[in-house]
Amino acid sequence: MSANVNHSLPLEYQTEQNRLNILGFWIFLGAEIVLFATLFAVYGVLGHRYAGGPTPSDIFKLNDVLIETLLLLTSSFTCGLAVFFMRQRDMKKLLTWFVITLLLGAGFLFMEIREFIHYVHEGATMQTSAFLSSFFVLLGTHGAHVTFGIIWAIMLIIQLLQRGLTPVTARKMFIISLYWHFLDVVWIFIFTFVYLKGMVG
């Protein structure tokens, strides 16, 4: 078994199975890109159909959106630190930065749910217009991915505490970091093409 482990590579890449799993996850992310590209395309077509309802400039709150953006982008940085310390085999710092990542992600979700509640109180629901339908589906899909990522990360933390840092748990940690960075990239597109464009337009 030890002959199949290449100790010259980073921990998560040391076995052939790990390398194949990571490649498979990159392929999965390709499918996720197609999903979000489709949702962005739908929003691009329907985003100007207000049906007499509120427009983006009527309901978007820039301060809240900036806080959400700061929380999620900071979580990407802390996730990167967690992977760095994983490769240093520093379990304590890995877990510390990973938990901080999850707390930042939870803060993002809290702000987003608050934002949605604000919209509903303003009379902006999925049934109000095509703009709001496409908006809620796009952001809701992203929010659901963040929620899944937090649940997945909690399960991984439990595994790390039970099994320690091994090539298998390192591979899982690296894969979830790819997933988390992907969600941050998607959010940058949402911030730019939904919020900024909506408020300027």
Side-chain angles (χ1 to χ4, degrees), residues 37 41 65 68 86 119 130 136 165 183:
V65 176
E68 291 172 31
M86 174 193 78
Y119 296 155
F136 279 116
L165 196 53
L183 295 181

Side-chain angles (χ1 to χ4, degrees), residues 17-185:
Q17 185 62 53
N18 278 7
R19 293 191 288 274
L20 289 173
N21 286 358
I22 292 170
L23 174 61
F25 194 77
W26 276 111
I27 295 170
F28 167 76
L29 287 182
E32 289 284 280
I33 290 171
V34 173
L35 167 64
F36 279 102
T38 302
L39 295 178
F40 276 109
V42 170
Y43 182 83
V45 172
L46 302 179
H48 300 290
R49 301 185 182 182
Y50 306 126
T55 66
S57 57
D58 293 330
I59 59 172
F60 288 169
K61 296 172 69 177
L62 182 58
N63 287 343
D64 288 353
V65 176
L66 287 175
I67 292 172
E68 291 172 31
T69 302
L70 179 64
L71 287 170
L72 203 58
L73 294 187
T74 303
S75 77
S76 189
F77 174 71
T78 57
C79 187
L81 286 175
V83 171
F84 172 79
F85 286 113
M86 174 193 78
R87 289 176 172 170
Q88 301 296 313
R89 298 177 184 265
D90 190 329
M91 184 72 143
K92 183 177 178 181
K93 290 181 180 177
L94 157 62
L95 290 173
T96 298
W97 287 108
F98 199 33
V99 169
I100 291 173
T101 300
L102 297 192
L103 292 175
L104 291 167
F108 167 83
L109 280 179
F110 172 78
M111 292 297 298
E112 187 167 64
I113 291 168
R114 245 185 45 160
E115 176 190 356
F116 285 178
I117 291 171
H118 163 73
Y119 296 155
V120 171
H121 284 318
E122 294 291 318
T125 67
M126 287 190 71
Q127 292 78 27
T128 304
S129 65
F131 150 62
L132 287 165
S133 294
S134 58
F135 170 81
F136 279 116
V137 169
L138 173 57
L139 267 77
T141 301
H142 178 267
H145 277 69
V146 174
T147 303
F148 173 76
I150 291 173
I151 295 170
W152 179 10
I154 291 171
M155 294 171 64
L156 178 54
I157 288 173
I158 293 170
Q159 281 195 9
L160 285 166
L161 291 171
Q162 290 178 341
R163 304 177 187 176
L165 196 53
T166 68
V168 173
T169 55
R171 178 245 299 165
K172 292 178 179 180
M173 180 67 206
F174 182 72
I175 285 176
I176 198 172
S177 75
L178 294 177
Y179 179 81
W180 200 259
H181 293 316
F182 168 75
L183 295 181
D184 290 338
V185 171

